[in-house]
Amino acid sequence: MKTLVIYTSQTGFTKKYAEWIAEKTSGDILELKEAQKKSDSFFADYQAIVYGGWLMAGSTVKVKWFLNKAASWQDKRLAVFCVGGSPNDNPDIEVTLKKMLTDEQRKYIRPFYCQGGFNYEKMNGPSRLAMKMFVSALKKKKDQTEEEKIMTKMIATSYDISDIKYTEPIVEYLEKP
Ligand SMILES: Cc1cc2nc3c(=O)[nH]c(=O)nc-3n(C[C@H](O)[C@H](O)[C@H](O)COP(=O)(O)O)c2cc1C
C-alpha cells in the first residue's frame, strides 16, 4: 500500500513521529505547506494517507485541511494523529480524539494520539508566552489535585516523552490488507 504522511510541527515532535511512520511504511513524507501546493492528481497515487499535527489547546493544528480533503479520499486508508505534551494515558486524550472527528468522519478516518513533550527552546514567541501564562494560572489555582500539581511541574520546563512504540498501532492500521 503506497503511503503518504503529511505533517505540521512547530518544535519537532510531530515531525519525528511523521518520519518514523514514513520509514516504517516505506512511505513518502510531506510538510503540510508542501502538500497544500499539490494538485488532486498527486494524491491519487496513494492508497493510504495520514495527517499528523500538534495539539494546541485541545485541537489538532491544521486538521481542518486534512478533514476537507479526506471527504473525497474515502476509498483510501485514512488516519490522523495528534502529538501533545500529555502522556498517552491522560484522560483528556480520549476527549480530544472524540471531538476531533464527526461520527461521519469516524467511518473512514482513524484518530490516534502520540505523546511528544515540550521544547521551549524551539517554541515561537507567542507559544512560549501562551504556555507561560497557562503555567502561571495553574500555579495560582487553589486546591490543585495531585495530578494537576505533577502536570504543572512537568510542563514548566522542556521534556521529551516521545517513543517510536506509539507509531505501532498507526502503522498496523495503515498496512492492514
Ligand atoms: C500554546 C500551546 C498549547 C498547547 N496545548 C496542548 C494541549 O492542549 N494538549 C497537549 O497535550 N499538549 C499541548 N501543547 C503541547 C504541544 O502540543 C507539544 O509540545 C507538542 O509536542 C508539540 O509538537 P511539535 O514539536 O510537533 O510542534 C501545547 C503547546 C502550546 C505551545
Side-chain angles (χ1 to χ4, degrees):
M1 204 178 295
K2 200 173 170 196
T3 300
L4 175 66
V5 186
I6 304 166
Y7 71 93
T8 313
S9 181
Q10 184 186 183
T11 67
F13 291 103
T14 314
K15 183 178 187 209
K16 188 161 61 170
Y17 276 111
E19 287 169 347
W20 279 333
I21 295 165
E23 217 167 280
K24 282 192 179 183
T25 57
S26 304
D28 294 332
I29 181 166
L30 269 186
E31 212 173 335
L32 176 65
K33 273 186 270 172
E34 295 306 314
Q36 284 171 327
K37 294 179 193 160
K38 303 285 183 193
S39 63
D40 287 347
S41 62
F42 170 84
F43 299 102
D45 254 10
Y46 295 94
Q47 289 84 50
I49 303 184
V50 51
Y51 175 74
W54 59 284
L55 267 188
M56 185 164 67
S59 296
T60 306
V61 171
K62 300 275 166 61
V63 72
K64 282 214 169 89
W65 175 86
F66 177 73
L67 298 179
N68 282 335
K69 286 277 184 192
S72 58
W73 292 341
Q74 293 184 35
D75 55 332
K76 303 182 193 294
R77 185 71 44 96
L78 302 174
V80 52
F81 68 94
C82 49
V83 178
S86 311
N88 261 52
D89 59 4
N90 184 317
D92 291 347
I93 298 305
E94 211 185 308
V95 181
T96 299
L97 292 183
K98 214 167 188 176
K99 71 164 200 195
M100 182 159 58
L101 303 175
T102 63
D103 289 343
E104 183 55 31
Q105 287 162 340
R106 211 175 301 280
K107 289 179 191 161
Y108 56 91
I109 307 171
R110 186 75 65 88
F112 296 92
Y113 177 76
C114 300
Q115 61 182 48
F118 271 94
N119 187 325
Y120 282 96
E121 290 72 35
K122 290 189 185 166
M123 227 177 250
N124 66 24
S127 289
R128 206 175 300 135
L129 184 66
M131 284 312 300
K132 211 174 158 186
M133 285 162 69
F134 182 60
V135 170
S136 113
L138 274 178
K139 279 182 181 161
K140 280 188 200 133
K141 191 177 169 229
K142 288 186 189 107
D143 312 320
Q144 268 198 343
T145 64
E146 271 316 300
E147 271 176 7
E148 282 173 333
K149 279 182 197 161
I150 293 168
M151 197 65 194
T152 308
K153 221 172 164 180
M154 194 170 166
I155 64 173
T157 53
S158 297
Y159 61 87
D160 181 351
I161 49 171
S162 63
D163 194 303
I164 195 166
K165 73 179 179 194
Y166 298 112
T167 63
E168 282 164 16
I170 306 175
V171 172
E172 195 181 313
Y173 168 72
L174 291 172
E175 292 188 329
K176 209 158 55 182

